[in-house]
Amino acid sequence: MKDKRILLMLNNRDEQALTETVDSYGALCRSVARSILGNEEDAEECLNDALLQIWNTIPPKQPDNFCAYLMKIVRNGALDRFKSQNRTKRGKGQQTATLDELAELLPAADNVASEVEQRELLAAITHFLQTLSKKHRDLFIRRYWGFESFSALAEEFGMSENNVQVTLSHIRKKLHTYLRKEGLL
């Protein structure tokens, strides 16, 4: 209900929509950006950039899930900022290591011939994640979407860091098998 109200306010060009967005999702946005960038100031800038982007894109866009739309903007903005800040320091950040863990499973962007293929891959990964237990799905998403460290995941899930790493390795192997079976690798 709150999302619909925010979308209506954005469509009516009511600046209060931005305040409502920050009140509702600011902490979550900052948390996602901070987990990627590692500091509060950059996370705050990502939130501000995301607010500007939703102001400029709604209307005409009308996302079905406002929160997911906002989180995608924040995450992509944080990843872009991270890449920009770390071009010369390739391989030193947690995010790079996290993405490298999945690199062997996913085709490179230039190998994915069309947006249709990308959507098929996304749909297959989404379907795969639905087959996992909630705990394993949450581990996977928080590691590879939220870029959380092994130590943070271990603490949150009551596991050892090694157990988290082994569990995620098994999930990646299952995903690899699933994507092969679906003809996407």
Side-chain angles (χ1 to χ4, degrees):
M1 193 60 151
K2 187 181 294 188
D3 289 356
K4 287 183 181 183
R5 194 172 94 228
I6 292 172
L7 284 171
L8 180 63
M9 292 167 70
L10 285 166
N11 283 311
N12 292 330
R13 308 315 289 159
D14 183 348
E15 292 180 16
Q16 184 63 29
L18 301 177
T19 302
E20 294 276 334
T21 300
V22 171
D23 290 346
S24 298
Y25 301 111
L28 180 60
C29 291
R30 285 184 202 94
S31 175
V32 167
R34 187 175 39 254
S35 69
I36 294 169
L37 296 167
N39 75 56
E40 194 64 42
E41 292 154 0
D42 286 344
E44 189 66 34
E45 286 186 36
C46 279
L47 172 59
N48 290 333
D49 292 345
L51 292 171
L52 178 62
Q53 190 168 346
I54 65 167
W55 182 260
N56 290 334
T57 59
I58 300 174
K61 289 192 177 185
Q62 296 299 311
D64 292 329
N65 185 330
F66 178 73
C67 179
Y69 180 73
L70 177 61
M71 291 304 104
K72 182 177 179 181
I73 290 171
V74 169
R75 182 178 181 270
N76 289 344
L79 287 170
D80 289 345
R81 184 178 293 266
F82 175 82
K83 288 175 192 172
S84 175
Q85 291 173 345
N86 295 288
R87 286 197 204 296
T88 59
K89 298 188 269 184
R90 182 86 175 134
K92 296 199 179 199
Q94 177 69 34
Q95 296 76 7
T96 303
T98 303
L99 292 173
D100 288 346
E101 291 171 19
L102 287 178
E104 64 193 42
L105 300 180
L106 305 175
D110 58 351
N111 290 339
V112 180
S114 71
E115 188 174 320
V116 172
E117 289 174 333
Q118 290 177 356
R119 288 182 183 182
E120 287 176 6
L121 181 61
L122 179 59
I125 292 171
T126 300
H127 182 264
F128 169 78
L129 290 173
Q130 291 170 347
T131 67
L132 298 177
S133 69
K134 179 171 176 22
K135 180 178 181 178
H136 286 178
R137 182 174 49 249
D138 288 350
L139 267 172
F140 188 90
I141 290 169
R142 289 177 65 178
R143 175 67 178 163
Y144 299 114
W145 198 89
F147 296 106
E148 290 190 35
S149 68
F150 292 126
S151 60
L153 291 171
E155 184 177 322
E156 179 71 24
F157 288 90
M159 303 166 68
S160 71
E161 283 188 48
N162 186 55
N163 194 345
V164 169
Q165 291 175 5
V166 169
T167 301
L168 287 169
S169 175
H170 288 307
I171 294 170
R172 287 193 313 271
K173 286 177 186 174
K174 285 181 183 179
L175 175 58
H176 184 261
T177 301
Y178 178 79
L179 292 176
R180 274 192 185 278
K181 183 179 142 204
E182 294 296 311
L184 296 168
L185 286 184

